[in-house]
Amino acid sequence: MNYADIKQFDVANGTGIRVSLFVSGCTHHCKGCFNSETWDFDYGQPFTEQTIEDIMSYLEPDYCSGLTLLGGEPFEHSNQKGLLPLLRRFRQKYPANRYAEHHRDIWAFSGYTFETDILENMCKKWPETSEMLSYIDILVDGEFHEDEKNLKLHFKGSANQKTIMVPESLAKGKTILWTPPAS
């Protein structure tokens, strides 16, 4: 797996100050994509054990809220395989307990839909998908639709996309949407 970029102080792709990993490789090719150079699976740099070490060190400061996965497409099968070592390390250090002292969450952005593409298709074909989902707290799903672009949406670009609370959705067997806190 390759990655395009790591943003150490990202405030645009999830709540709080986050570490964001932009993976390379995407087959959606959405019209108007803000990051089309990451469609190429060979773009950027190799994702190595040192990359994981760097990301884990970026997550340590108390001000850090968590990790965001985007791209590119984190749910491309080859990217799932590449991301799992990082996600395992992350959850080993930062358990999914929201009330833990040093809680960090994981957000992921995917052009695939949660219900149809991920749950009904990928989870049945690849064990990596179910494991990956087990680590993710919030998933923003759906391809970017330029004709539904809306700059007033929280953490998503077009009105068709959903912001999903993954553990709650998996536990209840139906999609539970995240709503931004009142400002």
Side-chain angles (χ1 to χ4, degrees):
M1 179 181 98
N2 279 9
Y3 72 98
D5 196 11
I6 298 169
K7 298 217 181 289
Q8 193 174 343
F9 307 103
D10 190 357
V11 296
N13 295 300
T15 56
I17 300 170
R18 314 188 62 76
V19 176
S20 291
L21 171 64
F22 292 78
V23 300
S24 295
C26 181
T27 57
H28 300 296
H29 299 183
C30 301
K31 182 179 178 186
C33 175
F34 80 101
N35 215 4
S36 59
E37 66 273 3
T38 65
W39 295 352
D40 181 352
F41 285 85
D42 294 322
Y43 180 79
Q45 304 171 55
F47 188 76
T48 65
E49 184 59 37
Q50 184 58 55
T51 312
I52 293 172
E53 294 295 329
D54 292 344
I55 291 170
M56 293 303 293
S57 72
Y58 300 156
L59 290 160
E60 288 179 10
D62 287 341
Y63 60 76
C64 187
S65 298
L67 174 66
T68 298
L69 307 173
L70 59 171
E73 173 57 70
F75 277 87
E76 296 289 357
H77 190 229
S78 60
N79 288 341
Q80 289 182 46
K81 290 178 182 181
L83 288 168
L84 280 174
L86 169 64
L87 298 178
R88 290 176 190 130
R89 287 271 306 278
F90 181 96
R91 280 297 176 222
Q92 184 177 26
K93 184 166 185 173
Y94 305 108
N97 177 355
R98 289 185 184 151
Y99 306 105
E101 183 179 352
H102 299 289
H103 174 71
R104 306 278 189 280
D105 60 13
I106 299 174
W107 282 56
F109 288 75
S110 176
Y112 292 108
T113 60
F114 179 66
E115 299 92 348
T116 306
D117 297 326
I118 296 173
L119 292 179
E120 291 180 19
N121 185 12
M122 293 177 184
C123 282
K124 292 177 180 172
K125 285 175 30 181
W126 308 312
E128 295 87 359
T129 307
S130 294
E131 183 181 357
M132 187 163 155
L133 274 182
S134 76
Y135 301 127
I136 295 172
D137 297 285
I138 301 290
L139 174 69
V140 179
D141 84 335
E143 291 185 0
F144 172 74
H145 291 168
E146 191 170 49
D147 60 332
E148 295 184 71
K149 182 177 181 176
N150 183 339
L151 298 177
K152 295 181 181 182
L153 298 172
H154 289 272
F155 308 120
K156 53 191 170 190
S158 58
N160 63 296
Q161 296 171 314
K162 296 184 302 301
T163 307
I164 299 165
M165 298 169 50
V166 174
E168 294 82 353
S169 297
L170 294 174
K172 295 201 185 261
K174 65 179 186 173
T175 300
I176 308 296
L177 298 178
W178 176 86
T179 52
S183 37

